[in-house]
Amino acid sequence: MITGRIACGSIAVLLAGAALLPVGSATAEPADPAPPASGPQVEPTPSASGPQAEPVPPAYGPQAEPAPPVSGPEAPELVPGLPLNLLPAPQMDTPDQALEPKVYTPSAEEDAVEPQDAPDGADDRVEYVDPIDALGGVKCSEEAGLKQREVERWLKLRVDGEQSVADCRAIRAFQKKHRIKPAIGYAGPVTWATMQLVSAGNDPNAGKKCPVRGYRVACVDLDRQLAWVQDSKDVVFGPVLIRSGREGYGTRTGWHAVYWRHKNHVSSLYKSPMPYSQFFSGGQAFHGIYGNIFTPVGSMGCVNMTLQDARKLWRVLKKGDRVYVWGRKVEQG
């Protein structure tokens, strides 16, 4: 059993701030690992080119519990772009556990139970906007968005970081097409995340940052907050939007392997559901959440995804499948 203390999940308050903080660190591609020593593993079939030497990664030693994030330079506060009287009550987004799970073999009866569906609207793309725009009645935001330059560049507009009538018109058109609410032309984090997903398209590994092997590899791109699964060069799942670890609780980069799968996992510390959990590094796992993955603050280390995406991933990955994580998350709150 791995002995390091890890945490994943997050408490998301809807009226969250938007401080930009770097999370994690870019990691050069290391050699493929042997599966972790957290119980029996199924070794993936080597590629047709022949067996590859795969050194065992160093075991995780005792670690101090990460300190809470230190507040950084303040950016304009953002709130969900819905009229304030329509905001749901603040909710807890699967805080997860601070220790590795107790590994056991679920019974057939337990495995036959499917996690409940997410509430209606949990997966909606609700943009985080300037508070004045959340009061309602705004048709076209006059505010420069948190991701103004990135969005301008993606839309091939003049990149000046300033909102204009032409900018707003183009951003609104994109938001309407991709069902981002409210479609008022504010260049916020949800709009930018959707552009990242659209750009990834059917070839998320165009930049060749996820190693291609002759077996399944679950790829986690912290830079773009995307995940997919590839088998050799074929993408067999995704790409999908994710939410990775916040500052101080970053999702660990490098090679890992799925060592335990628990469809109906519940956090041992917070008694909250972690549906379709697939643990790959201590207490860090892929799993669905019942809240919204677009909350500005990241998870406590896990790779969160919508319940629908987590359910699909459950049907693709198996125990022993490899996971490769790279990049860094920029926190927005």
Short mmCIF file of all heavy atoms in Angstrom, two decimals, residues 231-271:
data_model
loop_
_atom_site.label_atom_id
_atom_site.label_comp_id
_atom_site.label_asym_id
_atom_site.label_seq_id
_atom_site.Cartn_x
_atom_site.Cartn_y
_atom_site.Cartn_z
N ASP A 231 -5.26 4.06 -28.03
CA ASP A 231 -4.74 2.70 -28.17
C ASP A 231 -3.88 2.72 -29.43
O ASP A 231 -4.40 2.83 -30.52
CB ASP A 231 -5.88 1.71 -28.30
CG ASP A 231 -5.42 0.26 -28.11
OD1 ASP A 231 -4.22 0.01 -28.31
OD2 ASP A 231 -6.25 -0.60 -27.77
N SER A 232 -2.55 2.68 -29.24
CA SER A 232 -1.62 3.02 -30.32
C SER A 232 -1.94 4.45 -30.73
O SER A 232 -2.00 5.32 -29.88
CB SER A 232 -1.73 2.03 -31.47
OG SER A 232 -1.33 0.74 -31.05
N LYS A 233 -2.24 4.69 -32.00
CA LYS A 233 -2.53 6.06 -32.44
C LYS A 233 -4.03 6.35 -32.49
O LYS A 233 -4.43 7.47 -32.80
CB LYS A 233 -1.91 6.30 -33.82
CG LYS A 233 -0.39 6.29 -33.83
CD LYS A 233 0.14 6.61 -35.21
CE LYS A 233 1.67 6.63 -35.22
NZ LYS A 233 2.22 6.94 -36.56
N ASP A 234 -4.83 5.35 -32.19
CA ASP A 234 -6.29 5.51 -32.28
C ASP A 234 -6.85 6.08 -30.98
O ASP A 234 -6.59 5.54 -29.90
CB ASP A 234 -6.96 4.18 -32.59
CG ASP A 234 -6.54 3.62 -33.94
OD1 ASP A 234 -6.27 4.42 -34.85
OD2 ASP A 234 -6.48 2.38 -34.07
N VAL A 235 -7.63 7.14 -31.08
CA VAL A 235 -8.31 7.71 -29.92
C VAL A 235 -9.60 6.93 -29.71
O VAL A 235 -10.49 6.94 -30.57
CB VAL A 235 -8.61 9.21 -30.12
CG1 VAL A 235 -9.40 9.76 -28.94
CG2 VAL A 235 -7.31 9.99 -30.29
N VAL A 236 -9.71 6.23 -28.56
CA VAL A 236 -10.86 5.36 -28.30
C VAL A 236 -11.81 5.96 -27.27
O VAL A 236 -12.86 5.40 -26.99
CB VAL A 236 -10.39 3.96 -27.85
CG1 VAL A 236 -9.63 3.27 -28.98
CG2 VAL A 236 -9.54 4.03 -26.59
N PHE A 237 -11.44 7.11 -26.70
CA PHE A 237 -12.32 7.82 -25.78
C PHE A 237 -11.92 9.29 -25.77
O PHE A 237 -10.73 9.62 -25.71
CB PHE A 237 -12.19 7.26 -24.36
CG PHE A 237 -12.82 8.14 -23.30
CD1 PHE A 237 -14.19 8.09 -23.07
CD2 PHE A 237 -12.07 9.03 -22.55
CE1 PHE A 237 -14.79 8.90 -22.11
CE2 PHE A 237 -12.65 9.86 -21.60
CZ PHE A 237 -14.01 9.79 -21.37
N GLY A 238 -12.93 10.17 -25.81
CA GLY A 238 -12.65 11.59 -25.70
C GLY A 238 -12.19 12.21 -27.01
O GLY A 238 -12.36 11.63 -28.08
N PRO A 239 -11.61 13.42 -26.89
CA PRO A 239 -11.24 14.11 -25.66
C PRO A 239 -12.46 14.69 -24.92
O PRO A 239 -13.48 14.98 -25.54
CB PRO A 239 -10.33 15.23 -26.15
CG PRO A 239 -10.84 15.55 -27.53
CD PRO A 239 -11.27 14.21 -28.09
N VAL A 240 -12.29 14.85 -23.59
CA VAL A 240 -13.33 15.44 -22.76
C VAL A 240 -12.70 16.48 -21.85
O VAL A 240 -11.50 16.44 -21.55
CB VAL A 240 -14.07 14.38 -21.91
CG1 VAL A 240 -14.73 13.35 -22.80
CG2 VAL A 240 -13.11 13.72 -20.91
N LEU A 241 -13.53 17.41 -21.40
CA LEU A 241 -13.07 18.43 -20.45
C LEU A 241 -12.96 17.82 -19.05
O LEU A 241 -13.78 16.98 -18.67
CB LEU A 241 -14.04 19.60 -20.43
CG LEU A 241 -14.08 20.46 -21.71
CD1 LEU A 241 -15.30 21.37 -21.71
CD2 LEU A 241 -12.81 21.27 -21.85
N ILE A 242 -11.94 18.24 -18.31
CA ILE A 242 -11.72 17.73 -16.96
C ILE A 242 -11.48 18.90 -16.01
O ILE A 242 -11.33 20.05 -16.43
CB ILE A 242 -10.51 16.78 -16.89
CG1 ILE A 242 -9.23 17.54 -17.29
CG2 ILE A 242 -10.73 15.56 -17.76
CD1 ILE A 242 -7.94 16.85 -16.91
N ARG A 243 -11.40 18.58 -14.72
CA ARG A 243 -10.95 19.52 -13.72
C ARG A 243 -9.92 18.78 -12.87
O ARG A 243 -10.23 17.78 -12.22
CB ARG A 243 -12.11 20.00 -12.85
CG ARG A 243 -11.69 21.01 -11.78
CD ARG A 243 -12.88 21.47 -10.96
NE ARG A 243 -13.48 20.38 -10.22
CZ ARG A 243 -14.59 20.51 -9.49
NH1 ARG A 243 -15.22 21.66 -9.45
NH2 ARG A 243 -15.08 19.49 -8.83
N SER A 244 -8.68 19.26 -12.89
CA SER A 244 -7.60 18.57 -12.16
C SER A 244 -7.31 19.30 -10.84
O SER A 244 -8.03 20.20 -10.44
CB SER A 244 -6.34 18.51 -13.03
OG SER A 244 -5.85 19.82 -13.28
N GLY A 245 -6.23 18.90 -10.17
CA GLY A 245 -5.93 19.38 -8.84
C GLY A 245 -5.56 20.85 -8.75
O GLY A 245 -4.86 21.39 -9.60
N ARG A 246 -6.03 21.49 -7.68
CA ARG A 246 -5.72 22.89 -7.42
C ARG A 246 -4.33 23.02 -6.83
O ARG A 246 -3.65 22.03 -6.54
CB ARG A 246 -6.75 23.47 -6.45
CG ARG A 246 -6.73 22.81 -5.07
CD ARG A 246 -7.76 23.39 -4.14
NE ARG A 246 -7.47 24.78 -3.83
CZ ARG A 246 -8.26 25.55 -3.08
NH1 ARG A 246 -9.39 25.07 -2.60
NH2 ARG A 246 -7.94 26.79 -2.83
N GLU A 247 -3.89 24.26 -6.60
CA GLU A 247 -2.56 24.50 -6.05
C GLU A 247 -2.43 23.84 -4.68
O GLU A 247 -3.32 23.93 -3.83
CB GLU A 247 -2.30 26.00 -5.90
CG GLU A 247 -0.87 26.28 -5.46
CD GLU A 247 -0.63 27.75 -5.16
OE1 GLU A 247 -1.61 28.48 -4.92
OE2 GLU A 247 0.54 28.14 -5.15
N GLY A 248 -1.30 23.17 -4.47
CA GLY A 248 -1.06 22.47 -3.22
C GLY A 248 -1.60 21.06 -3.22
O GLY A 248 -1.26 20.26 -2.36
N TYR A 249 -2.44 20.73 -4.21
CA TYR A 249 -3.03 19.40 -4.31
C TYR A 249 -2.99 18.94 -5.77
O TYR A 249 -3.90 18.29 -6.27
CB TYR A 249 -4.48 19.41 -3.83
CG TYR A 249 -4.65 19.91 -2.41
CD1 TYR A 249 -4.83 21.27 -2.15
CD2 TYR A 249 -4.62 19.03 -1.34
CE1 TYR A 249 -4.98 21.73 -0.86
CE2 TYR A 249 -4.77 19.50 -0.04
CZ TYR A 249 -4.95 20.84 0.19
OH TYR A 249 -5.09 21.29 1.48
N GLY A 250 -1.94 19.33 -6.49
CA GLY A 250 -1.87 19.08 -7.92
C GLY A 250 -1.92 17.61 -8.28
O GLY A 250 -1.40 16.74 -7.58
N THR A 251 -2.57 17.32 -9.40
CA THR A 251 -2.57 15.97 -9.95
C THR A 251 -1.14 15.63 -10.35
O THR A 251 -0.49 16.38 -11.08
CB THR A 251 -3.50 15.90 -11.18
OG1 THR A 251 -4.80 16.36 -10.80
CG2 THR A 251 -3.59 14.49 -11.72
N ARG A 252 -0.62 14.50 -9.86
CA ARG A 252 0.78 14.16 -10.09
C ARG A 252 1.05 13.84 -11.55
O ARG A 252 0.30 13.07 -12.17
CB ARG A 252 1.20 12.98 -9.20
CG ARG A 252 1.46 13.39 -7.75
CD ARG A 252 1.99 12.21 -6.96
NE ARG A 252 0.95 11.23 -6.75
CZ ARG A 252 0.06 11.27 -5.76
NH1 ARG A 252 0.05 12.29 -4.93
NH2 ARG A 252 -0.84 10.32 -5.63
N THR A 253 2.12 14.43 -12.07
CA THR A 253 2.49 14.20 -13.46
C THR A 253 3.31 12.92 -13.60
O THR A 253 3.77 12.34 -12.62
CB THR A 253 3.29 15.39 -14.01
OG1 THR A 253 4.42 15.62 -13.17
CG2 THR A 253 2.43 16.65 -14.04
N GLY A 254 3.51 12.49 -14.84
CA GLY A 254 4.31 11.29 -15.12
C GLY A 254 3.44 10.08 -15.39
O GLY A 254 2.24 10.17 -15.62
N TRP A 255 4.09 8.92 -15.35
CA TRP A 255 3.42 7.65 -15.63
C TRP A 255 2.76 7.07 -14.38
O TRP A 255 3.33 7.10 -13.29
CB TRP A 255 4.42 6.63 -16.15
CG TRP A 255 4.76 6.76 -17.60
CD1 TRP A 255 5.91 7.26 -18.13
CD2 TRP A 255 3.95 6.34 -18.71
NE1 TRP A 255 5.87 7.20 -19.50
CE2 TRP A 255 4.68 6.64 -19.89
CE3 TRP A 255 2.70 5.77 -18.83
CZ2 TRP A 255 4.19 6.38 -21.15
CZ3 TRP A 255 2.20 5.49 -20.09
CH2 TRP A 255 2.95 5.80 -21.25
N HIS A 256 1.58 6.52 -14.55
CA HIS A 256 0.86 5.82 -13.49
C HIS A 256 0.15 4.62 -14.13
O HIS A 256 0.26 4.39 -15.33
CB HIS A 256 -0.18 6.73 -12.83
CG HIS A 256 0.35 8.07 -12.42
ND1 HIS A 256 1.13 8.27 -11.31
CD2 HIS A 256 0.23 9.30 -13.01
CE1 HIS A 256 1.46 9.53 -11.21
NE2 HIS A 256 0.93 10.19 -12.23
N ALA A 257 -0.56 3.86 -13.32
CA ALA A 257 -1.38 2.77 -13.83
C ALA A 257 -2.63 2.64 -12.96
O ALA A 257 -2.59 2.87 -11.76
CB ALA A 257 -0.60 1.45 -13.82
N VAL A 258 -3.74 2.29 -13.60
CA VAL A 258 -4.98 2.08 -12.86
C VAL A 258 -4.80 0.87 -11.96
O VAL A 258 -4.55 -0.24 -12.44
CB VAL A 258 -6.17 1.86 -13.82
CG1 VAL A 258 -7.44 1.52 -13.04
CG2 VAL A 258 -6.39 3.10 -14.70
N TYR A 259 -4.88 1.07 -10.64
CA TYR A 259 -4.66 -0.06 -9.74
C TYR A 259 -5.93 -0.51 -9.02
O TYR A 259 -5.96 -1.60 -8.46
CB TYR A 259 -3.57 0.27 -8.72
CG TYR A 259 -3.94 1.25 -7.63
CD1 TYR A 259 -4.54 0.81 -6.45
CD2 TYR A 259 -3.67 2.62 -7.76
CE1 TYR A 259 -4.87 1.70 -5.44
CE2 TYR A 259 -4.00 3.51 -6.76
CZ TYR A 259 -4.61 3.05 -5.60
OH TYR A 259 -4.94 3.93 -4.60
N TRP A 260 -6.99 0.32 -9.02
CA TRP A 260 -8.25 -0.10 -8.40
C TRP A 260 -9.40 0.67 -9.01
O TRP A 260 -9.30 1.87 -9.24
CB TRP A 260 -8.22 0.14 -6.88
CG TRP A 260 -9.37 -0.49 -6.16
CD1 TRP A 260 -9.79 -1.78 -6.26
CD2 TRP A 260 -10.25 0.15 -5.22
NE1 TRP A 260 -10.87 -2.00 -5.44
CE2 TRP A 260 -11.18 -0.84 -4.78
CE3 TRP A 260 -10.34 1.43 -4.69
CZ2 TRP A 260 -12.18 -0.57 -3.86
CZ3 TRP A 260 -11.35 1.70 -3.77
CH2 TRP A 260 -12.26 0.71 -3.36
N ARG A 261 -10.47 -0.06 -9.30
CA ARG A 261 -11.68 0.53 -9.87
C ARG A 261 -12.85 0.24 -8.93
O ARG A 261 -13.06 -0.88 -8.51
CB ARG A 261 -11.97 -0.08 -11.25
CG ARG A 261 -11.01 0.37 -12.31
CD ARG A 261 -10.96 -0.56 -13.53
NE ARG A 261 -12.21 -1.18 -13.90
CZ ARG A 261 -13.09 -0.70 -14.79
NH1 ARG A 261 -12.85 0.45 -15.39
NH2 ARG A 261 -14.19 -1.37 -15.09
N HIS A 262 -13.60 1.30 -8.59
CA HIS A 262 -14.72 1.15 -7.68
C HIS A 262 -15.86 2.02 -8.17
O HIS A 262 -15.84 3.24 -8.04
CB HIS A 262 -14.31 1.55 -6.26
CG HIS A 262 -15.30 1.15 -5.22
ND1 HIS A 262 -15.33 1.69 -3.96
CD2 HIS A 262 -16.32 0.24 -5.25
CE1 HIS A 262 -16.31 1.14 -3.26
NE2 HIS A 262 -16.92 0.26 -4.02
N LYS A 263 -16.85 1.38 -8.75
CA LYS A 263 -17.94 2.09 -9.41
C LYS A 263 -18.74 2.98 -8.46
O LYS A 263 -19.16 4.07 -8.82
CB LYS A 263 -18.87 1.07 -10.08
CG LYS A 263 -20.01 1.68 -10.87
CD LYS A 263 -20.99 0.62 -11.36
CE LYS A 263 -20.35 -0.31 -12.35
NZ LYS A 263 -21.35 -1.29 -12.87
N ASN A 264 -18.96 2.51 -7.24
CA ASN A 264 -19.79 3.25 -6.29
C ASN A 264 -18.97 3.75 -5.11
O ASN A 264 -19.42 3.68 -3.96
CB ASN A 264 -20.94 2.36 -5.81
CG ASN A 264 -21.94 2.06 -6.90
OD1 ASN A 264 -22.73 2.92 -7.28
ND2 ASN A 264 -21.89 0.87 -7.45
N HIS A 265 -17.79 4.28 -5.38
CA HIS A 265 -16.91 4.71 -4.29
C HIS A 265 -17.51 5.92 -3.55
O HIS A 265 -18.13 6.79 -4.15
CB HIS A 265 -15.54 5.08 -4.83
CG HIS A 265 -14.51 5.25 -3.75
ND1 HIS A 265 -14.02 4.20 -3.02
CD2 HIS A 265 -13.90 6.35 -3.28
CE1 HIS A 265 -13.15 4.64 -2.14
NE2 HIS A 265 -13.05 5.95 -2.27
N VAL A 266 -17.30 5.93 -2.24
CA VAL A 266 -17.71 7.04 -1.40
C VAL A 266 -16.50 7.48 -0.58
O VAL A 266 -15.79 6.64 -0.01
CB VAL A 266 -18.87 6.64 -0.46
CG1 VAL A 266 -19.21 7.79 0.50
CG2 VAL A 266 -20.10 6.25 -1.28
N SER A 267 -16.24 8.77 -0.53
CA SER A 267 -15.11 9.29 0.22
C SER A 267 -15.18 8.85 1.67
O SER A 267 -16.20 9.02 2.34
CB SER A 267 -15.10 10.82 0.15
OG SER A 267 -14.19 11.35 1.09
N SER A 268 -14.09 8.28 2.16
CA SER A 268 -14.08 7.79 3.54
C SER A 268 -14.04 8.93 4.54
O SER A 268 -14.45 8.77 5.69
CB SER A 268 -12.87 6.88 3.76
OG SER A 268 -11.66 7.58 3.52
N LEU A 269 -13.57 10.12 4.12
CA LEU A 269 -13.49 11.26 5.03
C LEU A 269 -14.75 12.10 5.02
O LEU A 269 -15.22 12.55 6.05
CB LEU A 269 -12.30 12.14 4.65
CG LEU A 269 -10.90 11.60 4.95
CD1 LEU A 269 -9.87 12.64 4.59
CD2 LEU A 269 -10.75 11.20 6.40
N TYR A 270 -15.31 12.32 3.83
CA TYR A 270 -16.42 13.26 3.69
C TYR A 270 -17.76 12.60 3.38
O TYR A 270 -18.77 13.27 3.29
CB TYR A 270 -16.09 14.29 2.61
CG TYR A 270 -14.82 15.05 2.89
CD1 TYR A 270 -13.62 14.67 2.31
CD2 TYR A 270 -14.82 16.13 3.76
CE1 TYR A 270 -12.44 15.36 2.57
CE2 TYR A 270 -13.65 16.82 4.03
CZ TYR A 270 -12.47 16.43 3.44
OH TYR A 270 -11.31 17.11 3.70
N LYS A 271 -17.72 11.27 3.20
CA LYS A 271 -18.95 10.52 2.94
C LYS A 271 -19.69 11.04 1.72
O LYS A 271 -20.92 11.02 1.66
CB LYS A 271 -19.88 10.55 4.17
CG LYS A 271 -19.19 10.20 5.48
CD LYS A 271 -18.51 8.84 5.44
CE LYS A 271 -17.82 8.53 6.76
NZ LYS A 271 -17.01 7.28 6.68
#
